[in-house]
Amino acid sequence: MDHFSYKDGVYHAEDVSLELIAKEVGTPFYCYSKATLERHFNVFSRHFDDVGAKICYAVKANSNLGVLNTLAKLGSGADVVSEGEIRLALAAGIKAENIVFSGVGKAATEMAYALDQGIFQFNVESEPELRLLSDVALSKGTKANIAIRVNPDVDPKTHAKISTGQKESKFGIAIAHALPVYKLAATLSGINVQGVSVHIGSQLTTLEPFAQAFARVRQFVEELRSQGFTITTLDLGGGLGIPYGGEEPPLPDAYAEVAKKETAGLGCQLIFEPGRMLVGNAGILVSRVMYVKHNDGGRIFVIADAAMNDLMRPALYDAYHHIMPVRAADGNAPTELVDVVGPVCETGDIFAEQRLLKVPAAGDLILFRSAGAYGASMSNTYNARPLVPEVMVHGSQYAVVRKRQTYAELLARDTIPSW
Ligand SMILES: *Cc1c(COP(=O)(O)O)cnc(C)c1O
């Protein structure tokens, strides 16, 4: 459930009209609903209150400081994949003791920064990373608290580009080969082994892959303990899907039941890393139709002022985003199969192909739903298009939480060499 809806025929975020924001901020822009963010966090976290789990929001889904601060105030921790994300999380008020650091390519400088801040845990993804982390910790006279990210070889049944838990994946260490790496870790004096972590992919729409992965990890924790390891933390990752179109992903209560059942009696501090589930349906992208173009083949192109550089998911993952008019279409307006595209010079700059829509007119505002996750955080300036603003709504107020990049800022990034 979210707090976006039509009021008197105009789409609103909570109590603020998107026409008003478009007029004041310009288009395109991202719009987030604070009440929706809060609702999603609470709906997820309340199922884990009884076991005292740490909820470490996956910052890469949406790293806006306004979003992070909203989640920080609810007690969220952070799952980060770079020093930049650690800095954002800390700046937003997330405590270092609630930060876990994931990712296959952590640099020594990033490890050093994370150790200085005193983060909760490094999720180590390879043997060379483990050795380097030990060296960095030793050079500071400290120890790094780690879990090893194991790969349970489970098919998450999601898009190939967001599957991470199969044996061909670059992520983690195959569960069958992880024991020797734990034994190595025990010999490294800059390492303190505390847990096991797993994350099998994103936008999962069934529970079975989670159940399989958690069961394999549980067995592995038991094996580690029988070998004398003290395992106190169990990081079960993120990946719970959201409804973009027709999918019916499991609800948080069903997911929580599986997670708690598969880990019952282990006595581990559970950690979850939800990203998309918290922010995906708390954000939309609003755009203005620039032109409606009819080509010879009889195709109708709706050319929006937003493009693949603002919202990459359709181009990158063939992702579906529901497209709606900001001003509810007149019931008699004609419905046609149209292609909704952006201005970027790439054939892949298509938001929707042959979608049945009431054909908008040039100048109309449209919106892409479910754009809160992997939207703004993946955006870029391809075609020298400035980054678009992000707005957060709270009741009848709104705030610009990231201003539109100016052309001066865009040009200031580069320098011309003296020769
Ligand atoms: C991306 C990622 C997540 C979040 O995934 P969602 O599908 O957005 O919940 C969690 N953990 C790790 C390690 C990730 O890379």
Side-chain angles (χ1 to χ4, degrees), residues 3-332:
H3 296 265
F4 294 97
S5 62
Y6 285 107
K7 290 182 179 160
D8 294 329
V10 177
Y11 212 60
H12 279 58
E14 303 187 22
D15 298 325
V16 183
S17 150
L18 293 167
E19 283 187 346
L20 175 79
I21 303 176
K23 194 167 137 233
E24 296 183 357
V25 174
T27 55
F29 65 92
Y30 277 97
C31 180
Y32 309 131
S33 152
K34 186 166 184 243
T36 309
L37 277 172
E38 290 171 339
R39 180 187 153 82
H40 289 176
F41 184 87
N42 289 330
V43 161
F44 188 84
S45 70
R46 71 166 183 238
H47 296 295
F48 298 104
D49 284 348
D50 56 337
V51 293
K54 266 189 201 292
I55 313 295
C56 293
Y57 164 64
V59 172
K60 74 178 192 289
N62 185 320
S63 55
N64 184 279
L65 278 177
V67 169
L68 293 174
N69 177 255
T70 301
L71 296 173
K73 284 193 203 137
L74 300 174
S76 183
D79 167 48
V80 301
V81 293
S82 68
E83 178 175 334
E85 287 190 354
I86 302 176
R87 289 176 182 268
L88 284 165
L90 293 172
I94 292 173
K95 296 198 187 80
E97 71 206 43
N98 291 328
I99 295 180
V100 296
F101 192 178
S102 302
V104 294
K106 303 177 194 76
T109 50
E110 296 182 304
M111 293 170 176
Y113 180 78
L115 285 166
D116 287 344
Q117 305 308 313
I119 67 161
F120 181 71
Q121 175 171 294
F122 290 81
N123 290 340
V124 172
E125 304 216 13
S126 69
E127 192 179 310
E129 180 195 334
L130 186 66
R131 292 181 190 275
L132 178 61
L133 180 59
S134 178
D135 290 347
V136 174
L138 279 178
S139 74
K140 295 184 167 294
T142 184
K143 278 178 185 269
N145 295 327
I146 68 125
I148 289 176
R149 175 166 172 186
V150 295
N151 186 331
D153 194 24
V154 168
D155 181 354
K157 305 213 162 55
T158 181
H159 191 278
K161 285 190 179 157
I162 46 176
S163 295
T164 59
Q166 287 153 289
K167 61 179 185 295
E168 305 81 6
S169 155
K170 74 173 180 178
F171 297 99
I173 294 174
I175 205 162
H177 302 133
L179 183 58
V181 186
Y182 273 89
K183 288 185 172 164
L184 167 69
T187 69
L188 298 172
S189 34
I191 296 292
N192 173 45
V193 174
Q194 68 182 22
V196 177
S197 88
V198 68
H199 171 72
I200 56 173
S202 198
Q203 185 53 16
L204 272 70
T205 51
T206 60
L207 286 174
E208 292 85 72
F210 286 120
Q212 267 180 38
F214 298 166
R216 287 184 194 175
V217 169
R218 178 200 183 93
Q219 260 182 3
F220 184 58
V221 170
E222 284 164 350
E223 185 182 356
L224 285 170
R225 285 180 171 166
S226 74
Q227 300 271 333
F229 287 92
T230 306
I231 299 296
T232 57
T233 70
L234 185 50
D235 183 339
L236 298 178
L240 189 57
I242 62 169
Y244 282 98
E247 334 59 346
E248 286 180 19
L251 294 174
D253 59 343
Y255 170 82
E257 200 180 304
V258 165
K260 287 195 276 195
K261 177 168 159 263
E262 299 294 345
T263 58
L266 278 180
C268 285
Q269 155 88 73
L270 295 183
I271 302 165
F272 293 92
E273 304 171 342
R276 188 189 310 274
M277 191 267 143
L278 298 182
V279 295
N281 278 320
I284 60 174
L285 174 65
V286 179
S287 176
R288 196 175 290 282
V289 173
M290 304 174 73
Y291 303 103
V292 178
K293 172 175 168 178
H294 296 256
N295 82 351
D296 284 351
R299 266 171 103 122
I300 303 172
F301 293 94
V302 173
I303 304 174
D305 65 358
M308 64 185 287
N309 68 298
D310 306 311
L311 176 62
M312 275 176 81
R313 298 189 65 261
L316 195 59
Y317 310 129
D318 307 311
Y320 175 93
H321 285 272
H322 201 54
I323 301 175
M324 298 162 55
V326 167
R327 186 165 280 271
D330 161 359
N332 301 321

